[in-house]
Amino acid sequence: MNLVQFVILSIYYQYLIKNTVIKQLIKILQAPAVIVFFLDFFKLEGMMTFNSIFATIRTFLLLSYGILFFIQLLFDEDLVKEAIFINTLPNFWFNAGLFIYLCATFLHYLTFNFFMKHGVANSHMVILSLVFISGIIEGILFYIGLLKAKKQHA
């Protein structure tokens, strides 16, 4: 499911980002990420463990795409000319929700196998709580994005 999510979100960011070089880079980076997924799944960590290597790389790439989208919004001359505030765009809210969730899951994916190997369950539970809280915040921000999209179509 992580692989499917990564491909879908990469296509989403390809659609959002206007810079053709970055669009091409997103398309190119999908291939090495898929290779890392299969290496991680079949060779490095195996099928019976959490594949934190791919999950960490996937999350880092998606965070990078989100940062690039935020930067694009900040310097978008078309939005300035039309006097459109970025907080009125549904994709801003969707990206903000994804970004908050991915920030928390990046920490979780990066440390998961370490905490499981060394039996530090309490630290893992704190990070997992942050992931759950960020998921709630993501849902709220997605809802705001959906409200903004509804207003644009009305």
Side-chain angles (χ1 to χ4, degrees):
M1 201 59 182
N2 276 334
L3 180 63
V4 172
Q5 181 188 47
F6 173 72
V7 171
I8 290 170
L9 288 174
S10 293
I11 292 169
Y12 170 72
Y13 281 113
Q14 273 183 289
Y15 171 75
L16 288 182
I17 294 176
K18 294 178 181 177
N19 188 316
T20 55
V21 174
I22 295 174
K23 281 184 173 215
Q24 196 66 14
L25 183 64
I26 292 172
K27 188 182 287 188
I28 290 169
L29 285 175
Q30 286 183 38
V34 170
I35 291 169
V36 168
F37 168 77
F38 285 113
L39 282 174
D40 194 21
F41 189 72
F42 290 113
K43 188 79 172 158
L44 299 174
E45 291 179 316
M47 292 181 215
M48 303 309 269
T49 61
F50 177 70
N51 300 116
S52 64
I53 295 171
F54 170 73
T56 303
I57 291 170
R58 172 193 73 95
T59 306
F60 176 76
L61 288 173
L62 292 174
L63 280 171
S64 301
Y65 303 159
I67 290 169
L68 290 170
F69 180 65
F70 279 135
I71 291 170
Q72 172 185 298
L73 287 177
L74 287 175
F75 298 106
D76 193 342
E77 293 294 324
D78 295 335
L79 294 177
V80 173
K81 287 177 188 173
E82 296 179 28
I84 297 174
F85 295 107
I86 60 173
N87 65 346
T88 61
L89 301 172
N91 285 324
F92 168 78
W93 293 101
F94 298 145
N95 188 51
L98 277 172
F99 190 80
I100 289 172
Y101 178 73
L102 290 171
C103 284
T105 58
F106 183 71
L107 181 62
H108 173 66
Y109 294 153
L110 196 58
T111 61
F112 183 81
N113 284 340
F114 175 80
F115 286 142
M116 290 298 112
K117 185 186 290 184
H118 292 84
V120 189
N122 291 339
S123 299
H124 173 69
M125 293 309 291
V126 169
I127 294 171
L128 200 56
S129 298
L130 290 174
V131 171
F132 290 143
I133 291 167
S134 69
I136 292 168
I137 294 169
E138 177 189 34
I140 292 167
L141 294 175
F142 274 24
Y143 179 73
I144 293 170
L146 289 172
L147 288 177
K148 301 291 181 180
K150 184 179 176 182
K151 284 182 183 178
Q152 282 184 348
H153 290 290

